[in-house]
Amino acid sequence: MAAGRMVTVGDIELWTEEFGDPAHPPVLLVMGSMSQGVVWPDAFVGRLAAAGRRVIRYDHRDTGRSSAIDFAARPYTWADIKDDVLGVLDAYGIGAAHLVGHSAGGILSQWIAAEHPDRVLTLTTIGSSPLGGGEGRTVTRALTGEPPRPDDLPYPLPSFTRFFADAAANPPGADRRSQVAFQIELARMLHGPGLPFDEDEQRRQEERIHDRDRDPATVANHPRAFAAAPDWEPAGLLERITAPTLVVEGTREPVKPGHGALIAAAVPGAELLMIEGMGHTLPPQVHEELATAILTHTAVRFQTRASQNQSTS
């Protein structure tokens, strides 16, 4: 059974949803920029909960059912979005959890693992970039046609830059039908060519996302927060991460190709998992492999604790 709940973090409301037995090990799912919590697929979340995990997903501020903010009156930074993650844990009375972050959610999760090691049992990043690598600047330079600099992360694939160049030249209308159609094509590009794309299912998902949003326009506050503080990512922290770390990337990743290997190289003891055919989305074809990897990874900490308890008893 899933239980939806609004929680208060500072002066904002965040929509959250809990699956599984509250007595089970907690897994907090942190989605990427401009993305609602329901982008974590129901079937994937269900796999984790059915296997004995207490799973929580939530809408970032300015997405879904969470607070829609007047950015001009109440500006914020990505540090505030990072603190929202801790606020969700606090609202549920969870001292430490397994963090699973997708895309920018993986960067937030790395940041928390480095700064608050006591709050992170294990860390899993999916389709993410290394904290401190300046992923936002890299994407901006790629989209504006600037050549890469020696210190840039690997650029997105041409399919990514072409899509947004076309969107800038021919922006979608503001009506529901146009927005849903645009998001379907965005999802198709992010999905990549490696696995079949289910357009009908994606349409249902995009309609759900559109219809549950308090104010679809305020999602643009996420890039505004980046523009307000483009150097928001602290550098030099990855070597401080002590939580067991699993880094997942698809072999057809269009946005952050090769970034996973950089995370795995920088975090002590991290494991890199490449999923064949996966792009930057979480389609049904990868749920079993991805869920199995996360379940195995999140079990390690408890096996270690059990061994320690036996040795001291």
Side-chain angles (χ1 to χ4, degrees), residues 92-127:
Y92 275 88
I94 296 172
H98 301 278
L99 294 189
V100 179
H102 181 266
S103 196
I107 300 177
L108 297 173
S109 298
Q110 293 168 61
W111 194 354
I112 292 169
E115 287 192 340
H116 303 276
D118 57 315
R119 305 299 302 269
V120 183
L121 298 173
T122 66
L123 170 65
T124 301
T125 69
I126 306 169

PDB file of all heavy atoms in Angstrom, residues 92-127:
ATOM      1  N   TYR A  92       9.991  12.283   8.335  1.00  0.00           N
ATOM      2  CA  TYR A  92       9.620  10.897   8.575  1.00  0.00           C
ATOM      3  C   TYR A  92      10.320  10.306   9.805  1.00  0.00           C
ATOM      4  O   TYR A  92      10.137   9.130  10.117  1.00  0.00           O
ATOM      5  CB  TYR A  92       9.935  10.045   7.347  1.00  0.00           C
ATOM      6  CG  TYR A  92       8.844  10.062   6.296  1.00  0.00           C
ATOM      7  CD1 TYR A  92       8.820  11.040   5.309  1.00  0.00           C
ATOM      8  CD2 TYR A  92       7.831   9.113   6.304  1.00  0.00           C
ATOM      9  CE1 TYR A  92       7.822  11.072   4.350  1.00  0.00           C
ATOM     10  CE2 TYR A  92       6.827   9.133   5.349  1.00  0.00           C
ATOM     11  CZ  TYR A  92       6.828  10.113   4.375  1.00  0.00           C
ATOM     12  OH  TYR A  92       5.832  10.136   3.422  1.00  0.00           O
ATOM     13  N   GLY A  93      11.123  11.112  10.480  1.00  0.00           N
ATOM     14  CA  GLY A  93      11.836  10.622  11.654  1.00  0.00           C
ATOM     15  C   GLY A  93      12.902   9.605  11.323  1.00  0.00           C
ATOM     16  O   GLY A  93      13.220   8.729  12.144  1.00  0.00           O
ATOM     17  N   ILE A  94      13.500   9.725  10.144  1.00  0.00           N
ATOM     18  CA  ILE A  94      14.513   8.772   9.680  1.00  0.00           C
ATOM     19  C   ILE A  94      15.894   9.383   9.889  1.00  0.00           C
ATOM     20  O   ILE A  94      16.228  10.415   9.300  1.00  0.00           O
ATOM     21  CB  ILE A  94      14.300   8.415   8.201  1.00  0.00           C
ATOM     22  CG1 ILE A  94      12.963   7.699   8.016  1.00  0.00           C
ATOM     23  CG2 ILE A  94      15.446   7.554   7.682  1.00  0.00           C
ATOM     24  CD1 ILE A  94      12.583   7.474   6.565  1.00  0.00           C
ATOM     25  N   GLY A  95      16.696   8.737  10.707  1.00  0.00           N
ATOM     26  CA  GLY A  95      18.037   9.244  10.966  1.00  0.00           C
ATOM     27  C   GLY A  95      18.969   9.038   9.791  1.00  0.00           C
ATOM     28  O   GLY A  95      19.749   9.922   9.434  1.00  0.00           O
ATOM     29  N   ALA A  96      18.912   7.838   9.208  1.00  0.00           N
ATOM     30  CA  ALA A  96      19.776   7.508   8.078  1.00  0.00           C
ATOM     31  C   ALA A  96      19.005   6.622   7.116  1.00  0.00           C
ATOM     32  O   ALA A  96      18.198   5.786   7.531  1.00  0.00           O
ATOM     33  CB  ALA A  96      21.043   6.801   8.548  1.00  0.00           C
ATOM     34  N   ALA A  97      19.275   6.796   5.829  1.00  0.00           N
ATOM     35  CA  ALA A  97      18.555   6.047   4.797  1.00  0.00           C
ATOM     36  C   ALA A  97      19.502   5.664   3.677  1.00  0.00           C
ATOM     37  O   ALA A  97      20.609   6.208   3.544  1.00  0.00           O
ATOM     38  CB  ALA A  97      17.403   6.880   4.233  1.00  0.00           C
ATOM     39  N   HIS A  98      19.048   4.732   2.864  1.00  0.00           N
ATOM     40  CA  HIS A  98      19.704   4.440   1.598  1.00  0.00           C
ATOM     41  C   HIS A  98      19.244   5.493   0.599  1.00  0.00           C
ATOM     42  O   HIS A  98      18.041   5.616   0.349  1.00  0.00           O
ATOM     43  CB  HIS A  98      19.317   3.040   1.108  1.00  0.00           C
ATOM     44  CG  HIS A  98      19.676   1.944   2.066  1.00  0.00           C
ATOM     45  ND1 HIS A  98      20.945   1.411   2.138  1.00  0.00           N
ATOM     46  CD2 HIS A  98      18.942   1.298   2.994  1.00  0.00           C
ATOM     47  CE1 HIS A  98      20.975   0.459   3.069  1.00  0.00           C
ATOM     48  NE2 HIS A  98      19.768   0.386   3.606  1.00  0.00           N
ATOM     49  N   LEU A  99      20.162   6.253   0.028  1.00  0.00           N
ATOM     50  CA  LEU A  99      19.811   7.276  -0.949  1.00  0.00           C
ATOM     51  C   LEU A  99      20.013   6.738  -2.361  1.00  0.00           C
ATOM     52  O   LEU A  99      21.072   6.192  -2.680  1.00  0.00           O
ATOM     53  CB  LEU A  99      20.663   8.530  -0.764  1.00  0.00           C
ATOM     54  CG  LEU A  99      20.488   9.335   0.520  1.00  0.00           C
ATOM     55  CD1 LEU A  99      21.246  10.660   0.415  1.00  0.00           C
ATOM     56  CD2 LEU A  99      19.022   9.601   0.817  1.00  0.00           C
ATOM     57  N   VAL A 100      18.980   6.910  -3.183  1.00  0.00           N
ATOM     58  CA  VAL A 100      19.040   6.530  -4.597  1.00  0.00           C
ATOM     59  C   VAL A 100      18.663   7.764  -5.401  1.00  0.00           C
ATOM     60  O   VAL A 100      17.527   8.233  -5.327  1.00  0.00           O
ATOM     61  CB  VAL A 100      18.085   5.364  -4.916  1.00  0.00           C
ATOM     62  CG1 VAL A 100      18.159   5.006  -6.401  1.00  0.00           C
ATOM     63  CG2 VAL A 100      18.406   4.140  -4.050  1.00  0.00           C
ATOM     64  N   GLY A 101      19.610   8.306  -6.141  1.00  0.00           N
ATOM     65  CA  GLY A 101      19.373   9.549  -6.860  1.00  0.00           C
ATOM     66  C   GLY A 101      19.557   9.396  -8.349  1.00  0.00           C
ATOM     67  O   GLY A 101      20.537   8.791  -8.814  1.00  0.00           O
ATOM     68  N   HIS A 102      18.614   9.951  -9.111  1.00  0.00           N
ATOM     69  CA  HIS A 102      18.682   9.920 -10.566  1.00  0.00           C
ATOM     70  C   HIS A 102      19.071  11.292 -11.096  1.00  0.00           C
ATOM     71  O   HIS A 102      18.531  12.314 -10.651  1.00  0.00           O
ATOM     72  CB  HIS A 102      17.322   9.512 -11.146  1.00  0.00           C
ATOM     73  CG  HIS A 102      17.310   9.423 -12.639  1.00  0.00           C
ATOM     74  ND1 HIS A 102      16.929  10.470 -13.452  1.00  0.00           N
ATOM     75  CD2 HIS A 102      17.657   8.409 -13.476  1.00  0.00           C
ATOM     76  CE1 HIS A 102      17.025  10.105 -14.717  1.00  0.00           C
ATOM     77  NE2 HIS A 102      17.461   8.861 -14.766  1.00  0.00           N
ATOM     78  N   SER A 103      20.039  11.334 -12.017  1.00  0.00           N
ATOM     79  CA  SER A 103      20.458  12.564 -12.677  1.00  0.00           C
ATOM     80  C   SER A 103      20.896  13.602 -11.631  1.00  0.00           C
ATOM     81  O   SER A 103      21.768  13.318 -10.813  1.00  0.00           O
ATOM     82  CB  SER A 103      19.322  13.071 -13.571  1.00  0.00           C
ATOM     83  OG  SER A 103      19.794  14.035 -14.491  1.00  0.00           O
ATOM     84  N   ALA A 104      20.290  14.800 -11.619  1.00  0.00           N
ATOM     85  CA  ALA A 104      20.666  15.793 -10.608  1.00  0.00           C
ATOM     86  C   ALA A 104      20.380  15.299  -9.200  1.00  0.00           C
ATOM     87  O   ALA A 104      21.038  15.716  -8.236  1.00  0.00           O
ATOM     88  CB  ALA A 104      19.941  17.112 -10.863  1.00  0.00           C
ATOM     89  N   GLY A 105      19.393  14.398  -9.064  1.00  0.00           N
ATOM     90  CA  GLY A 105      19.148  13.796  -7.750  1.00  0.00           C
ATOM     91  C   GLY A 105      20.335  12.987  -7.265  1.00  0.00           C
ATOM     92  O   GLY A 105      20.572  12.872  -6.058  1.00  0.00           O
ATOM     93  N   GLY A 106      21.106  12.439  -8.202  1.00  0.00           N
ATOM     94  CA  GLY A 106      22.327  11.737  -7.824  1.00  0.00           C
ATOM     95  C   GLY A 106      23.392  12.691  -7.332  1.00  0.00           C
ATOM     96  O   GLY A 106      24.169  12.358  -6.424  1.00  0.00           O
ATOM     97  N   ILE A 107      23.455  13.892  -7.923  1.00  0.00           N
ATOM     98  CA  ILE A 107      24.415  14.891  -7.445  1.00  0.00           C
ATOM     99  C   ILE A 107      24.043  15.337  -6.038  1.00  0.00           C
ATOM    100  O   ILE A 107      24.904  15.449  -5.151  1.00  0.00           O
ATOM    101  CB  ILE A 107      24.463  16.091  -8.407  1.00  0.00           C
ATOM    102  CG1 ILE A 107      24.896  15.651  -9.810  1.00  0.00           C
ATOM    103  CG2 ILE A 107      25.406  17.167  -7.877  1.00  0.00           C
ATOM    104  CD1 ILE A 107      24.895  16.761 -10.844  1.00  0.00           C
ATOM    105  N   LEU A 108      22.748  15.592  -5.803  1.00  0.00           N
ATOM    106  CA  LEU A 108      22.302  15.959  -4.465  1.00  0.00           C
ATOM    107  C   LEU A 108      22.646  14.863  -3.462  1.00  0.00           C
ATOM    108  O   LEU A 108      23.092  15.149  -2.336  1.00  0.00           O
ATOM    109  CB  LEU A 108      20.799  16.211  -4.472  1.00  0.00           C
ATOM    110  CG  LEU A 108      20.281  17.364  -5.331  1.00  0.00           C
ATOM    111  CD1 LEU A 108      18.760  17.368  -5.352  1.00  0.00           C
ATOM    112  CD2 LEU A 108      20.813  18.702  -4.847  1.00  0.00           C
ATOM    113  N   SER A 109      22.454  13.620  -3.863  1.00  0.00           N
ATOM    114  CA  SER A 109      22.713  12.496  -2.956  1.00  0.00           C
ATOM    115  C   SER A 109      24.202  12.370  -2.650  1.00  0.00           C
ATOM    116  O   SER A 109      24.583  12.060  -1.511  1.00  0.00           O
ATOM    117  CB  SER A 109      22.174  11.201  -3.574  1.00  0.00           C
ATOM    118  OG  SER A 109      20.773  11.274  -3.754  1.00  0.00           O
ATOM    119  N   GLN A 110      25.052  12.610  -3.655  1.00  0.00           N
ATOM    120  CA  GLN A 110      26.500  12.609  -3.398  1.00  0.00           C
ATOM    121  C   GLN A 110      26.862  13.694  -2.387  1.00  0.00           C
ATOM    122  O   GLN A 110      27.687  13.482  -1.489  1.00  0.00           O
ATOM    123  CB  GLN A 110      27.260  12.852  -4.697  1.00  0.00           C
ATOM    124  CG  GLN A 110      27.165  11.753  -5.731  1.00  0.00           C
ATOM    125  CD  GLN A 110      27.701  12.225  -7.072  1.00  0.00           C
ATOM    126  OE1 GLN A 110      28.868  12.598  -7.199  1.00  0.00           O
ATOM    127  NE2 GLN A 110      26.843  12.232  -8.091  1.00  0.00           N
ATOM    128  N   TRP A 111      26.274  14.857  -2.562  1.00  0.00           N
ATOM    129  CA  TRP A 111      26.556  16.005  -1.686  1.00  0.00           C
ATOM    130  C   TRP A 111      26.203  15.655  -0.242  1.00  0.00           C
ATOM    131  O   TRP A 111      26.984  15.898   0.688  1.00  0.00           O
ATOM    132  CB  TRP A 111      25.748  17.188  -2.188  1.00  0.00           C
ATOM    133  CG  TRP A 111      26.124  18.536  -1.658  1.00  0.00           C
ATOM    134  CD1 TRP A 111      27.038  18.821  -0.685  1.00  0.00           C
ATOM    135  CD2 TRP A 111      25.589  19.784  -2.099  1.00  0.00           C
ATOM    136  NE1 TRP A 111      27.097  20.176  -0.481  1.00  0.00           N
ATOM    137  CE2 TRP A 111      26.228  20.793  -1.336  1.00  0.00           C
ATOM    138  CE3 TRP A 111      24.635  20.144  -3.047  1.00  0.00           C
ATOM    139  CZ2 TRP A 111      25.921  22.143  -1.509  1.00  0.00           C
ATOM    140  CZ3 TRP A 111      24.340  21.490  -3.219  1.00  0.00           C
ATOM    141  CH2 TRP A 111      24.976  22.479  -2.467  1.00  0.00           C
ATOM    142  N   ILE A 112      25.037  15.071  -0.058  1.00  0.00           N
ATOM    143  CA  ILE A 112      24.613  14.698   1.294  1.00  0.00           C
ATOM    144  C   ILE A 112      25.522  13.608   1.856  1.00  0.00           C
ATOM    145  O   ILE A 112      25.917  13.656   3.033  1.00  0.00           O
ATOM    146  CB  ILE A 112      23.145  14.244   1.275  1.00  0.00           C
ATOM    147  CG1 ILE A 112      22.234  15.438   0.968  1.00  0.00           C
ATOM    148  CG2 ILE A 112      22.746  13.615   2.613  1.00  0.00           C
ATOM    149  CD1 ILE A 112      20.803  15.067   0.664  1.00  0.00           C
ATOM    150  N   ALA A 113      25.881  12.628   1.030  1.00  0.00           N
ATOM    151  CA  ALA A 113      26.749  11.548   1.505  1.00  0.00           C
ATOM    152  C   ALA A 113      28.106  12.080   1.946  1.00  0.00           C
ATOM    153  O   ALA A 113      28.713  11.556   2.893  1.00  0.00           O
ATOM    154  CB  ALA A 113      26.915  10.501   0.409  1.00  0.00           C
ATOM    155  N   ALA A 114      28.593  13.128   1.266  1.00  0.00           N
ATOM    156  CA  ALA A 114      29.885  13.713   1.619  1.00  0.00           C
ATOM    157  C   ALA A 114      29.798  14.582   2.866  1.00  0.00           C
ATOM    158  O   ALA A 114      30.689  14.540   3.729  1.00  0.00           O
ATOM    159  CB  ALA A 114      30.419  14.530   0.450  1.00  0.00           C
ATOM    160  N   GLU A 115      28.726  15.365   2.982  1.00  0.00           N
ATOM    161  CA  GLU A 115      28.608  16.313   4.087  1.00  0.00           C
ATOM    162  C   GLU A 115      27.963  15.716   5.331  1.00  0.00           C
ATOM    163  O   GLU A 115      28.216  16.176   6.444  1.00  0.00           O
ATOM    164  CB  GLU A 115      27.787  17.534   3.653  1.00  0.00           C
ATOM    165  CG  GLU A 115      28.511  18.465   2.713  1.00  0.00           C
ATOM    166  CD  GLU A 115      27.790  19.795   2.550  1.00  0.00           C
ATOM    167  OE1 GLU A 115      26.583  19.864   2.846  1.00  0.00           O
ATOM    168  OE2 GLU A 115      28.454  20.768   2.144  1.00  0.00           O
ATOM    169  N   HIS A 116      27.108  14.711   5.142  1.00  0.00           N
ATOM    170  CA  HIS A 116      26.363  14.126   6.260  1.00  0.00           C
ATOM    171  C   HIS A 116      26.462  12.594   6.214  1.00  0.00           C
ATOM    172  O   HIS A 116      25.463  11.907   6.002  1.00  0.00           O
ATOM    173  CB  HIS A 116      24.893  14.550   6.201  1.00  0.00           C
ATOM    174  CG  HIS A 116      24.676  16.034   6.196  1.00  0.00           C
ATOM    175  ND1 HIS A 116      24.643  16.788   7.349  1.00  0.00           N
ATOM    176  CD2 HIS A 116      24.497  16.907   5.164  1.00  0.00           C
ATOM    177  CE1 HIS A 116      24.452  18.051   7.034  1.00  0.00           C
ATOM    178  NE2 HIS A 116      24.361  18.153   5.723  1.00  0.00           N
ATOM    179  N   PRO A 117      27.657  12.059   6.401  1.00  0.00           N
ATOM    180  CA  PRO A 117      27.820  10.607   6.275  1.00  0.00           C
ATOM    181  C   PRO A 117      26.964   9.813   7.242  1.00  0.00           C
ATOM    182  O   PRO A 117      26.609   8.660   6.962  1.00  0.00           O
ATOM    183  CB  PRO A 117      29.317  10.397   6.545  1.00  0.00           C
ATOM    184  CG  PRO A 117      29.753  11.630   7.285  1.00  0.00           C
ATOM    185  CD  PRO A 117      28.911  12.736   6.744  1.00  0.00           C
ATOM    186  N   ASP A 118      26.593  10.431   8.349  1.00  0.00           N
ATOM    187  CA  ASP A 118      25.753   9.737   9.333  1.00  0.00           C
ATOM    188  C   ASP A 118      24.319   9.563   8.853  1.00  0.00           C
ATOM    189  O   ASP A 118      23.569   8.763   9.427  1.00  0.00           O
ATOM    190  CB  ASP A 118      25.751  10.510  10.654  1.00  0.00           C
ATOM    191  CG  ASP A 118      25.282  11.955  10.494  1.00  0.00           C
ATOM    192  OD1 ASP A 118      25.735  12.615   9.537  1.00  0.00           O
ATOM    193  OD2 ASP A 118      24.477  12.419  11.321  1.00  0.00           O
ATOM    194  N   ARG A 119      23.928  10.280   7.783  1.00  0.00           N
ATOM    195  CA  ARG A 119      22.549  10.194   7.293  1.00  0.00           C
ATOM    196  C   ARG A 119      22.400   9.202   6.133  1.00  0.00           C
ATOM    197  O   ARG A 119      21.282   8.975   5.671  1.00  0.00           O
ATOM    198  CB  ARG A 119      22.053  11.568   6.813  1.00  0.00           C
ATOM    199  CG  ARG A 119      22.146  12.719   7.794  1.00  0.00           C
ATOM    200  CD  ARG A 119      21.341  12.509   9.067  1.00  0.00           C
ATOM    201  NE  ARG A 119      19.933  12.284   8.875  1.00  0.00           N
ATOM    202  CZ  ARG A 119      18.996  13.240   8.848  1.00  0.00           C
ATOM    203  NH1 ARG A 119      19.358  14.507   8.976  1.00  0.00           N
ATOM    204  NH2 ARG A 119      17.703  12.937   8.743  1.00  0.00           N
ATOM    205  N   VAL A 120      23.505   8.659   5.650  1.00  0.00           N
ATOM    206  CA  VAL A 120      23.480   7.851   4.423  1.00  0.00           C
ATOM    207  C   VAL A 120      24.007   6.444   4.703  1.00  0.00           C
ATOM    208  O   VAL A 120      25.186   6.264   5.010  1.00  0.00           O
ATOM    209  CB  VAL A 120      24.299   8.521   3.304  1.00  0.00           C
ATOM    210  CG1 VAL A 120      24.208   7.693   2.014  1.00  0.00           C
ATOM    211  CG2 VAL A 120      23.812   9.945   3.061  1.00  0.00           C
ATOM    212  N   LEU A 121      23.123   5.455   4.581  1.00  0.00           N
ATOM    213  CA  LEU A 121      23.518   4.059   4.767  1.00  0.00           C
ATOM    214  C   LEU A 121      24.263   3.538   3.549  1.00  0.00           C
ATOM    215  O   LEU A 121      25.328   2.934   3.668  1.00  0.00           O
ATOM    216  CB  LEU A 121      22.281   3.201   5.039  1.00  0.00           C
ATOM    217  CG  LEU A 121      21.487   3.546   6.296  1.00  0.00           C
ATOM    218  CD1 LEU A 121      20.188   2.738   6.363  1.00  0.00           C
ATOM    219  CD2 LEU A 121      22.330   3.310   7.542  1.00  0.00           C
ATOM    220  N   THR A 122      23.686   3.740   2.383  1.00  0.00           N
ATOM    221  CA  THR A 122      24.357   3.456   1.119  1.00  0.00           C
ATOM    222  C   THR A 122      23.944   4.536   0.134  1.00  0.00           C
ATOM    223  O   THR A 122      22.930   5.229   0.319  1.00  0.00           O
ATOM    224  CB  THR A 122      23.987   2.078   0.524  1.00  0.00           C
ATOM    225  OG1 THR A 122      22.598   2.075   0.156  1.00  0.00           O
ATOM    226  CG2 THR A 122      24.279   0.939   1.488  1.00  0.00           C
ATOM    227  N   LEU A 123      24.728   4.660  -0.933  1.00  0.00           N
ATOM    228  CA  LEU A 123      24.472   5.648  -1.977  1.00  0.00           C
ATOM    229  C   LEU A 123      24.380   4.931  -3.319  1.00  0.00           C
ATOM    230  O   LEU A 123      25.245   4.110  -3.637  1.00  0.00           O
ATOM    231  CB  LEU A 123      25.599   6.677  -2.010  1.00  0.00           C
ATOM    232  CG  LEU A 123      25.639   7.656  -3.192  1.00  0.00           C
ATOM    233  CD1 LEU A 123      24.424   8.564  -3.175  1.00  0.00           C
ATOM    234  CD2 LEU A 123      26.936   8.468  -3.157  1.00  0.00           C
ATOM    235  N   THR A 124      23.338   5.246  -4.079  1.00  0.00           N
ATOM    236  CA  THR A 124      23.220   4.770  -5.455  1.00  0.00           C
ATOM    237  C   THR A 124      22.934   5.965  -6.351  1.00  0.00           C
ATOM    238  O   THR A 124      22.013   6.742  -6.080  1.00  0.00           O
ATOM    239  CB  THR A 124      22.080   3.746  -5.613  1.00  0.00           C
ATOM    240  OG1 THR A 124      22.323   2.622  -4.754  1.00  0.00           O
ATOM    241  CG2 THR A 124      21.990   3.252  -7.052  1.00  0.00           C
ATOM    242  N   THR A 125      23.722   6.131  -7.404  1.00  0.00           N
ATOM    243  CA  THR A 125      23.448   7.168  -8.391  1.00  0.00           C
ATOM    244  C   THR A 125      23.092   6.492  -9.715  1.00  0.00           C
ATOM    245  O   THR A 125      23.648   5.464 -10.066  1.00  0.00           O
ATOM    246  CB  THR A 125      24.649   8.108  -8.601  1.00  0.00           C
ATOM    247  OG1 THR A 125      25.711   7.393  -9.248  1.00  0.00           O
ATOM    248  CG2 THR A 125      25.146   8.671  -7.279  1.00  0.00           C
ATOM    249  N   ILE A 126      22.156   7.095 -10.444  1.00  0.00           N
ATOM    250  CA  ILE A 126      21.700   6.567 -11.726  1.00  0.00           C
ATOM    251  C   ILE A 126      21.717   7.701 -12.744  1.00  0.00           C
ATOM    252  O   ILE A 126      21.089   8.744 -12.536  1.00  0.00           O
ATOM    253  CB  ILE A 126      20.270   6.000 -11.626  1.00  0.00           C
ATOM    254  CG1 ILE A 126      20.156   4.970 -10.505  1.00  0.00           C
ATOM    255  CG2 ILE A 126      19.837   5.395 -12.965  1.00  0.00           C
ATOM    256  CD1 ILE A 126      18.716   4.573 -10.181  1.00  0.00           C
ATOM    257  N   GLY A 127      22.459   7.521 -13.838  1.00  0.00           N
ATOM    258  CA  GLY A 127      22.487   8.544 -14.876  1.00  0.00           C
ATOM    259  C   GLY A 127      22.896   9.896 -14.349  1.00  0.00           C
ATOM    260  O   GLY A 127      22.327  10.918 -14.734  1.00  0.00           O
TER     261      GLY A 127
END
